[in-house]
């Protein structure tokens, strides 16, 4: 089953039991969920650092655009695709 795309008004959040952690042994961020772990590249870690359960995708994209001096529309598209891949794995949810 394929889910519809995330919209800029959706608010992503990490469900109970899912968290990010810096792995000092591998010198990288990971996303941990029960019985699963995902290695995060710097872009994925930056996106998830902004996911607080209060801000919408549009607000997150705007924040990242300002922080990295990049086009908000491109960030919204890329961040949305990244978050959708995590939603399909049940590692991110929407409200």
């Amino acid at each position: 089953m394929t889910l519809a795309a995330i919209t800029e008004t959706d608010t992503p959040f990490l469900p109970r039991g899912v968290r990010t952690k810096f792995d000092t042994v591998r010198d990288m961020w990971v996303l941990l969920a029960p019985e699963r772990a995902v290695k995060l590249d710097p872009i994925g870690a930056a996106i998830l650092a902004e996911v607080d359960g209060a801000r919408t995708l549009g607000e997150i994209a705007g924040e990242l655009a300002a922080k990295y001096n990049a086009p908000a529309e491109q960030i919204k598209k890329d961040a949305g695709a990244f978050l959708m891949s995590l939603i399909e794995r049940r590692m991110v949810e929407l409200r």
Side-chain angles (χ1 to χ4, degrees), residues 6 31 38-41 43-48 51 76-89 92:
I6 184 173
L31 181 62
V38 174
K39 296 177 190 175
L40 298 172
D41 65 11
I43 296 169
I47 293 168
L48 286 177
V51 172
K76 193 182 319 171
K77 179 181 169 193
D78 295 344
F82 172 70
L83 291 170
M84 278 306 299
S85 72
L86 294 176
I87 289 167
E88 289 171 355
R89 295 180 191 173
V92 169

